[in-house]
Amino acid sequence: MKSVSHQQACQLLHNKFIVVLGDSIQRSIYKDIVLLLQKEKYLSLRQLRSKGEMSFEQDCLVEGGCLDEMHNGTEYREVRQFQSAHHLVRFYFITRIYSHYMHSILEDFRNGLKPDVVYVNSCIWDISRYKSSSINDYKENLRKFFNELNGILPKETLVVWNLAMPLGERLKGGFLVPEIEYKASQLRSDVIEANFFGGTLADAYGMDLLDLHFQFRFSLHHRTKDGVHWNAIAHRRITCLLLQHTAQAWGVIMPCPLTAIEHPQVTNQKSACESATKVAEDCCPTKRSSSGCGDEFSSDTLPDGCFNFENNNPRQQTYRPKAARTCRRAAPPQPLQPLHRHPRRNNADSSSPHYLEPYREHHHQQVMRNRHTRRHYAPYTQHGPTHDPPHGWYD
C-alpha cells in the first residue's frame, strides 16, 4: 500500500478541522494523526497504552481523563485536542454510539465550528457492556446517530465510518470487566454481525465506509496480546488508509514517496534500516516480498530505524526474466499537488474547485461503498496566526 508522509499529511489537512469519535482504538488513530502532522515517527508502546494523560505530542486534555476519575466504566470521558496554526484535531472517547453524551457532542457541532472530516466508530463497547438486548439497541442507536449527524453537518463534510477490527479468541481488554466475561467467546461473531449492519446503514445514510476488519484480516500478527488493540505499525497503516481515502474524496492526487520513519525506541541494530535504505536506493524487484506486503509488515515488532510502505500488489506487477531485470535508482519523491480550495461562500470572487481526479469505484478499493466527490473548502481563514494559539477550544 502507499504511504503518506508527514509533508503530505500536513498539506492535505491544511486548515482542516478533523474529529475522531470512538473507543481506545480510535484514540490511537487520533494520536497517530497528531504525531504524523508533526514528525515522521511511530507511536511508542507507552503512548499506545496511555489514556487520559494531560498532554500528548503538544495536544491537551480538554475534559475527563486524569482531570476526573480514571476507570473502565461506561461513563468514562476523555476529550483531547491538538491545535496548531493550520491544523485542528479533536478526539471524543465514547462507549455508545448514541446517548445523552453523544447528543451533547452533536450540539457542539451544531452550535460551533463544523468539522471537515469525521472518523467515527463505536461497536465493541455497545454490544458488550450494556444489557442483553445490546445488539438491537446498537442498531437503533446507529439510526439515531446517522440521522442527527446528517441534519447537523454540511454536505461538504466527509464522514468515514470505520468498521471494527477483528478480535482475538481470548480477550483481555479493559472494557472486558468480570461481569461480561461470559460474552467474550461470542463477541468475535457479534462484531461481524454489527459491522455488516453498521456498514449497510452507513451507506444508506451516505457515509463513506472503511472496512478495517477486511483490511487487517491477514495482519493479525500486529494485534497485541490482549486480542483487542493493535501495534504502531497497524495504526500507521490505518492512518494511511484514512488519509488516502480523504484525498481521493477531495480529488487530491498524492504520490507515493519512499519515506523513512524513525521509531522512538531505536537500538544499535540497524539491519532493518539498512535493508530498507538499500531497497529505496536500488529499487531492486528481487528484494520485494512475494506475499504482497513488505518485509516490515511480516513481523510483530517495529523496525529498528525506518519503515517503508510500498505498493507491492502482486496483481499489478509484471513478470520479467531474471536476466532482463535491471536495478535503477529510484526517482525522487514528487511533491504533493497543491490543494484547490473553495473560498468562503460570501466571497464575491469565489470560483468552483477543480478536481484533479474523479472519485470512482475502481480508484479506491479500501471502502465497501464510494460516495460522490466532496467539495474541497476551508471553513475558517487560511492565514493562521504567526504563533501557535493557546490550547483550548478553537474560537
Side-chain angles (χ1 to χ4, degrees), residues 41-329:
K41 285 189 176 182
Y42 282 113
L43 293 168
S44 66
L45 183 60
R46 181 178 180 180
Q47 290 172 332
L48 284 170
R49 290 179 174 178
S50 299
K51 74 172 187 177
E53 63 269 39
M54 284 299 300
S55 180
F56 160 80
E57 294 292 341
Q58 308 302 318
D59 85 334
C60 69
L61 179 65
V62 178
E63 178 183 313
C66 63
L67 297 176
D68 202 347
E69 181 183 357
M70 300 286 290
H71 57 84
N72 291 327
T74 57
E75 298 301 319
Y76 176 74
R77 301 289 179 260
E78 183 178 347
V79 181
R80 313 195 65 85
Q81 180 169 284
F82 169 75
Q83 178 178 324
S84 67
H86 295 286
H87 300 101
L88 178 62
V89 189
R90 190 180 298 167
F91 166 74
Y92 295 89
F93 184 89
I94 58 175
T95 62
R96 206 169 196 181
I97 190 58
Y98 192 83
S99 60
H100 291 295
Y101 180 62
M102 176 58 74
H103 181 74
S104 67
I105 296 174
L106 296 177
E107 286 301 311
D108 288 345
F109 300 156
R110 186 192 305 274
N111 302 321
L113 187 64
K114 303 296 188 296
D116 297 281
V117 185
V118 177
Y119 301 134
V120 55
N121 169 262
S122 183
C123 178
I124 300 177
W125 284 72
D126 295 73
I127 64 177
S128 63
R129 289 297 300 271
Y130 296 90
K131 54 186 179 181
S132 57
S133 60
S134 56
I135 294 184
N136 293 331
D137 292 342
Y138 177 63
K139 295 178 179 180
E140 182 61 29
N141 289 333
L142 271 176
R143 293 190 180 93
K144 295 179 181 178
F145 171 74
F146 289 143
N147 190 49
E148 282 208 30
L149 197 65
N150 271 350
I152 293 175
L153 298 182
K155 294 182 179 180
E156 294 85 358
T157 298
L158 175 67
V159 180
V160 181
W161 176 258
N162 297 337
L163 297 190
M165 302 179 72
L167 297 178
E169 295 183 3
R170 297 181 180 180
L171 306 181
K172 303 177 183 178
F175 75 95
L176 197 66
V177 294
E179 292 80 6
I180 62 169
E181 286 184 350
Y182 69 95
K183 293 185 177 181
S185 59
Q186 66 183 34
L187 199 54
R188 301 175 68 194
S189 302
D190 292 343
V191 165
I192 296 176
E193 178 185 351
N195 275 344
F196 177 79
F197 179 83
T200 304
L201 190 64
D203 178 65
Y205 276 91
M207 313 295 177
D208 283 36
L209 306 176
L210 180 59
D211 193 348
L212 296 179
H213 196 285
F214 175 83
Q215 287 293 319
F216 287 86
R217 70 197 187 283
F218 296 135
S219 302
L220 303 182
H221 48 286
H222 289 284
R223 190 171 54 199
T224 59
K225 295 181 179 180
D226 65 2
V228 179
H229 299 95
W230 298 73
N231 65 17
I233 293 180
H235 277 287
R236 180 52 51 88
R237 186 183 179 192
I238 296 173
T239 299
C240 291
L241 289 171
L242 288 170
L243 295 184
Q244 288 168 20
H245 181 70
T246 302
Q248 291 185 351
W250 287 345
V252 176
I253 299 176
M254 288 198 305
C256 179
L258 297 177
T259 58
I261 304 176
E262 180 182 353
H263 185 258
Q265 300 174 350
V266 177
T267 65
N268 295 328
Q269 299 176 357
K270 299 181 179 180
S271 58
C273 183
E274 293 172 355
S275 175
T277 304
K278 186 175 181 180
V279 173
E281 292 179 352
D282 298 338
C283 191
C284 184
T286 58
K287 299 297 183 181
R288 296 186 177 181
S289 173
S290 60
S291 63
C293 297
D295 293 336
E296 67 281 340
F297 213 77
S298 61
S299 171
D300 193 35
T301 60
L302 292 175
D304 297 325
C306 60
F307 175 77
N308 182 31
F309 280 115
E310 295 185 12
N311 187 9
N312 293 334
N313 190 340
R315 294 178 297 178
Q316 297 178 356
Q317 297 178 359
T318 58
Y319 174 79
R320 291 184 295 172
K322 185 174 182 180
R325 292 179 180 177
T326 58
C327 296
R328 297 178 299 173
R329 184 171 298 276

